[in-house]
Amino acid sequence: MDVSGSNFQSLLPSILDAVATAHFVTIDLELSGIPGQQMNKSRVAGESSSGKPTLQQRYEETKTAAERYQVLQFGITCVDEDKDRGVYTLRPYNLFLNPVADGRLDVDRIFSFQSGAVEFLLNHGFRMDAPFVEGVPYYSREEESAARNTASARRNMIAVADIAIKNDDTESLRFIQRVRSEIDAWKNSTETKKEAFLNIAPVGYSSPTFQDRGLNNFQKRLVHQFVRAEYPDLSTTSRPGFIQITAYNKEREDNLQKFRTVAFEDRLKRQVGVRWLVEAMVGGNLAAIKSYNLQPVKSESQVPREHYERLFDRLQAKKTILVGHNVFIDLIYFYACFFGKLPDSVKDFERLMHELFPCIIDTKYLATHGDDNPALSKSSLEELDDQLSSLTPAPVIEMPLGHHRYLRNKPAHEAGFDSYLTAKVLIRLSAKLEAAGYYIDEKISPGSEGEGYVTAPETGGVSLNTPKHPLTSRLVDENARPKSGKSDSNDSISEGVSLGHNAVTIEPQPTKSKTKAKKSKRKSNDTAARSTNFSHATMFDLLGDMPSSDDGLGVPLARPLNPKPSTPRFTMMPPFDSDFWNVYGDKLRVNGTVEGVCNLWPEGRR
């Protein structure tokens, strides 16, 4: 679903509801720039003998880039798990982010574009005007705090320093003298029909023949400053072209201040924009939008008003399991965009991300963990989705109407589409790895009833190199859908589309089996590709995907001990409280570094 600045406010309740009920959420970002070669050249000390940077050095390079460049597009897919039906429901959203902030909030934002990144985006059909024309506003927590501090200082009359008029500035001195004379004459007037206000404007401003402009900003500041200093019994109000002076009235001033505060809060809420979704994901403070004037949504995903009122408590009590593909760099930009200043140490960054999310999963890490199978070296989202589309049996995936654009169109490197592919890959790949029973890890805590995991030989692993079949599309009666999620072992899978219960379903459909595909071989230029700083022929290939590289972990394989024979009702991904995620959770693939992996929870998940 495309979300723009014009429909964001009305869609916000349904998106928040999708986050609140999500089993997990996937994200993807499109960026105006990435770490460049000039940043890498600054790396001198601490480099390993292999020539690879350390994880700390890679973090510092990416941090510098994230502070310079912008997130232009934000993709998010909310995934529901229905264990009773054995179905996963995907709701992808695609949002352009508007880098231009509301100038009335007095927080300046400097942003940059990198020519190579722009070229990459244009080559993939990205509309460079869309963030400015259709983008949703956003503020980081740090920017929101700065806006509040500026507004508070203005209310307390300390935002702008007084203007010091020099003795030789005769024009300003004459202007102040005229203002003083007009105020004294108005205050001392004995006329019975004395006006309740005085307008300070250029001489002749009220004349119909006046052609000049009104007071400029400098003159207005002088009037505010002068009246505040010499006439505490008066108050000033800025008007277009002039300043209006009235007698000070505490009740009126208090009401005016309340009006200004309400207007400021409303403007600020709108500018925070996309960050409300992020706050919902991390259990942040959503109190400010309880009074948001949200318009009703006439769609399948409409949230009733009474449900919306209860929504915030559910979001406050929940933290989202976050998923991305090759997500290390995205997380750094994500934090800089929506939270603020990044810490200097990668260890501190790991701690912050762990505090925000109970578990972060990198599908790149799942696909390359162990790296013993040549098929796993092909680990871009498109390659993984293609390989896993023939998986059998496979979890059933459906999409509600209004979210099914990506069944027809496959816009590679659109953030919403990539987040959708990430969700599909996680569901299918984790189900396959769990079903195969090969867990690769240095240590896995044993389970109960003799079903723990023990170290297995270093041969084996999980192959994704299954036979591939052309995709087919057909309408299927929902009631005729297989409910067991099973398929004959001689059958392979293509992706069918069924329309039922207001949803589009991606489901297994039996087709004639084909001969086994040949095992793919590593390209001979893999070593050359890994010699670059970011495992790419050019650094901008990072915006597509990083190929897998040997991380040198050398961890053994593990497999279930005495598994019990069972016939599962549905094919599902492993639960997030299982030992499976002790192996695959909170570990991010960082190719081309000494460590190879960023461990968000070094002591292990509990």
Side-chain angles (χ1 to χ4, degrees), residues 302-317:
Q302 182 176 358
V303 180
R305 189 66 191 181
E306 59 273 14
H307 177 76
Y308 172 66
E309 292 295 338
R310 298 191 300 268
L311 187 57
F312 300 101
D313 291 337
R314 289 192 292 146
L315 289 168
Q316 194 80 38

Side-chain angles (χ1 to χ4, degrees), residues 16-29:
L16 292 177
D17 189 64
V19 171
T21 59
H23 186 52
F24 64 88
V25 171
T26 62
I27 64 167
D28 186 76
L29 310 178

Side-chain angles (χ1 to χ4, degrees), residues 46-67:
E47 196 170 72
S48 69
S49 58
S50 66
K52 292 182 178 181
T54 64
L55 185 63
Q56 174 64 29
Q57 290 168 333
R58 175 63 58 79
Y59 170 76
E60 290 173 358
E61 294 163 0
T62 310
K63 172 179 177 289
T64 300
E67 292 167 345

Side-chain angles (χ1 to χ4, degrees), residues 92 165 178 258 343 363 372 406 494 517 541 559:
I165 302 176
R178 179 173 72 84
K258 289 179 182 178
T363 51
D372 289 328
Y406 295 139
S494 61
D541 292 337
R559 61 186 177 191

Side-chain angles (χ1 to χ4, degrees), residues 237-535:
T237 304
S238 182
R239 305 292 186 189
F242 63 94
I243 294 291
Q244 188 170 89
I245 299 176
T246 57
Y248 179 81
N249 181 294
K250 187 177 187 309
E251 182 179 359
R252 184 191 62 203
E253 292 298 320
D254 289 345
N255 290 335
L256 180 60
Q257 191 58 58
K258 289 179 182 178
F259 172 79
R260 289 172 176 167
T261 300
V262 170
F264 167 80
E265 290 294 337
D266 184 66
R267 189 175 296 118
L268 185 60
K269 281 185 290 189
R270 294 176 185 276
Q271 179 59 52
V272 168
V274 178
R275 206 191 83 233
W276 293 125
L277 301 183
V278 177
E279 295 291 356
M281 291 164 61
V282 300
N285 184 7
L286 297 172
I289 60 169
K290 288 187 177 181
S291 59
Y292 215 162
N293 183 24
L294 294 161
Q295 303 169 11
V297 186
K298 295 181 179 179
S299 70
E300 173 271 336
S301 58
Q302 182 176 358
V303 180
R305 189 66 191 181
E306 59 273 14
H307 177 76
Y308 172 66
E309 292 295 338
R310 298 191 300 268
L311 187 57
F312 300 101
D313 291 337
R314 289 192 292 146
L315 289 168
Q316 194 80 38
K318 176 185 177 182
K319 284 190 176 182
T320 301
I321 292 177
L322 189 69
V323 182
H325 184 79
N326 211 16
V327 76
F328 177 73
I329 288 179
D330 278 359
L331 288 178
I332 296 173
Y333 278 80
F334 177 84
Y335 189 91
C337 180
F338 296 117
F339 294 91
K341 182 175 175 57
L342 287 157
D344 294 330
S345 165
V346 68
K347 294 298 181 184
D348 290 337
F349 175 73
E350 292 168 355
R351 177 182 54 79
L352 287 175
M353 296 311 300
H354 174 62
E355 290 174 356
L356 290 172
F357 298 100
C359 180
I360 298 178
I361 299 167
D362 183 2
T363 51
K364 179 84 168 183
Y365 183 81
L366 264 73
T368 60
H369 190 36
D371 203 20
D372 289 328
N373 193 305
L376 296 182
S377 63
K378 295 183 178 181
S379 56
S380 72
L381 275 174
E382 293 81 2
E383 290 167 334
L384 289 172
D385 182 59
D386 182 55
Q387 294 175 53
L388 292 165
S389 66
S390 56
L391 180 66
T392 177
V396 177
I397 298 172
E398 71 178 19
M399 304 173 73
L401 293 178
H403 292 270
H404 57 280
R405 176 166 71 91
Y406 295 139
L407 293 178
R408 302 187 303 271
N409 304 319
K410 301 184 183 302
H413 303 298
E414 180 176 288
F417 178 71
D418 284 356
S419 73
Y420 159 71
L421 286 188
T422 301
K424 288 175 61 182
V425 166
L426 179 70
I427 293 168
R428 290 171 168 173
L429 180 55
S430 64
K432 180 175 180 65
L433 292 171
E434 168 75 1
Y438 288 95
Y439 293 1
I440 307 172
D441 194 24
E442 295 176 348
K443 180 180 179 181
I444 304 179
S445 59
S448 60
E449 300 181 5
E451 293 190 7
Y453 296 88
V454 297
T455 301
E458 293 195 6
T459 58
V462 180
S463 172
L464 298 182
N465 195 22
T466 51
K468 295 175 183 165
H469 305 272
L471 298 180
T472 60
S473 296
R474 63 188 182 87
L475 294 181
V476 182
D477 181 1
E478 180 73 4
N479 294 323
R481 258 180 53 208
K483 299 299 181 182
S484 65
K486 295 183 181 178
S487 174
D488 253 359
S489 59
N490 294 327
D491 290 338
S492 58
I493 292 185
S494 61
E495 283 189 351
V497 178
S498 73
L499 298 178
H501 302 295
N502 296 323
V504 179
T505 305
I506 306 170
E507 61 177 329
Q509 297 296 332
T511 62
K512 294 181 180 180
S513 61
K514 292 187 177 182
T515 58
K516 292 184 179 179
K518 294 181 180 180
K519 290 185 177 181
S520 59
K521 296 182 179 180
R522 289 192 193 276
K523 295 181 180 179
S524 59
N525 61 353
D526 274 0
T527 303
R530 286 197 295 267
S531 67
T532 63
N533 284 316
F534 281 77
S535 302

Side-chain angles (χ1 to χ4, degrees), residues 548-561:
S548 175
S549 66
D550 183 7
D551 58 18
L553 294 179
V555 294
L557 303 181
R559 61 186 177 191
L561 175 65

Side-chain angles (χ1 to χ4, degrees), residues 2-22:
D2 292 318
V3 183
S4 66
S6 61
N7 67 10
F8 174 76
Q9 186 175 342
S10 60
L11 289 175
L12 182 57
S14 61
I15 304 176
L16 292 177
D17 189 64
V19 171
T21 59

